Amino acid sequence: MTLLEGRAISKSFGGVQALIDVDFSVSAGSIVGLIGPNGAGKTTLFNAVAGAFKPTSGKVLFNGQEITGLPASTICRMGVARTFQVTRPFAAMTCLENVMVAAINRRPEEPRPAIERRAREQLGFVGISELAAVEARHLNVIQKKRLELARALATEPTLLLLDEVMGGLNTQEINQAVAFIRRLRDERGLTVLWIEHVMGAVMQAAEWIIVLDQGRVLMTGAPQEVVNDERVIQAYLGD
Ligand SMILES: Nc1ncnc2c1ncn2[C@@H]1O[C@H](COP(=O)(O)OP(=O)(O)O)[C@@H](O)[C@H]1O
Ligand SMILES: [Mg+2]
């Protein structure tokens, strides 16, 4: 079953055509890698899906329902969560408070103690329980990425959009993160659409890859097909 579908999505910023007629689909329960050189349009595609802005033309369907141009908060409540390439926690709030804000957005009616319980559970799941009372501005880059993920998970998504979560991690940390993304799918049943520059990581965990280049879909396929494709190799060498 298709969970997310894009039909002929285009987006221009003034003269810049960031996306041109992009068609793609993501099956429920899959881990899909979205790759491509810098400036290919990957983050723009996330923005169009998550409602940060409306595409210039084209349609986004989630669970078979059109969501094109809906407010980001509505799309989030429908079950789409994202992380940002550059993390943006509320710097002066604690980690627990940051995650509670996300949980409240999803369940505005729920009593505070239950919200706090949910938030602590997410902090535990991403492995930063001990930072609950620490203000977000004191976290290092890796801790901020974990907090970002806890905030996304606190909105109880069925679809998780990850934007370059591996940047700045060493090999061991990358392997842990790959295992973690697999757990999200295997244990929580999440569907994951994942932008990643660290090619080894995305090739390990994704079962399907979408390659964007200069705003267009260059190819889609299984990881092995993609890494050996001449067009993909060229696109990266030109980067
Ligand atoms: N808000 C914006 N205003 C103007 N141009 C933008 C904006 N966001 C992205 N772009 C342009 O769109 C293109 C695709 O950017 P982006 O989606 O961030 O690429 P990627 O995430 O693949 O590196 C780039 O040329 C970028 O400069
Ligand atoms: Mg990007």
Side-chain angles (χ1 to χ4, degrees):
M1 195 202 96
T2 298
L3 183 65
L4 178 71
E5 192 182 346
R7 293 189 190 153
I9 297 174
S10 295
K11 174 68 189 177
S12 52
F13 298 103
V16 181
Q17 283 264 65
L19 296 173
I20 306 159
D21 260 349
V22 171
D23 287 319
F24 73 97
S25 67
V26 175
S27 301
S30 61
I31 299 174
V32 175
L34 179 59
I35 68 169
N38 262 325
K42 304 180 298 294
T43 298
T44 301
L45 189 60
F46 271 18
N47 284 330
V49 168
F53 50 63
K54 195 173 193 278
T56 310
S57 60
K59 285 185 181 182
V60 184
L61 289 93
F62 179 62
N63 254 327
Q65 191 180 344
E66 186 170 355
I67 60 168
T68 327
L70 292 180
S73 55
T74 306
I75 294 174
C76 177
R77 249 176 257 123
M78 291 171 83
V80 179
R82 74 179 300 183
T83 66
F84 289 88
Q85 194 169 350
V86 179
T87 59
R88 23 168 120 165
F90 298 110
M93 289 169 68
T94 65
C95 290
L96 179 65
E97 288 163 347
N98 266 280
V99 181
M100 285 177 70
V101 169
I104 289 167
N105 281 337
R106 176 65 176 218
R107 294 173 180 265
E109 309 298 328
E110 191 154 278
R112 193 52 68 93
I115 291 286
E116 182 175 332
R117 212 163 42 238
R118 287 179 190 282
R120 286 191 188 279
E121 191 188 313
Q122 302 306 338
L123 288 173
F125 190 68
V126 303
I128 55 168
S129 289
E130 76 284 4
L131 298 174
V134 176
E135 287 177 16
R137 64 197 167 93
H138 296 306
L139 303 187
N140 66 33
V141 174
I142 294 169
Q143 293 166 335
K144 277 187 180 143
K145 287 190 185 225
R146 290 187 177 209
L147 175 60
E148 175 95 344
L149 195 53
R151 290 172 71 205
L153 293 173
T155 68
E156 300 173 47
T158 49
L159 173 66
L160 183 61
L161 307 173
L162 299 174
D163 198 346
E164 297 199 20
V165 283
M166 304 277 176
L169 305 191
N170 66 33
T171 308
Q172 190 195 348
E173 290 159 347
I174 287 172
N175 289 334
Q176 285 171 357
V178 165
F180 186 79
I181 290 171
R182 286 223 183 92
R183 278 180 64 204
L184 289 175
R185 193 266 303 278
D186 297 342
E187 292 175 19
R188 297 204 164 191
L190 289 188
T191 303
V192 180
L193 179 58
W194 174 21
I195 296 175
E196 193 51 71
H197 247 89
V198 180
M199 208 59 80
V202 76
M203 293 299 162
Q204 263 183 73
E207 47 259 331
W208 193 251
I209 306 281
I210 300 167
V211 187
L212 277 186
D213 183 36
Q214 298 181 36
R216 296 179 195 273
V217 176
L218 185 66
M219 80 171 291
T220 59
Q224 273 315 308
E225 280 175 74
V226 167
V227 285
N228 294 314
D229 189 274
E230 204 52 45
R231 293 164 297 171
V232 174
I233 294 164
Q234 276 306 318
Y236 275 94
L237 290 177
D239 186 18

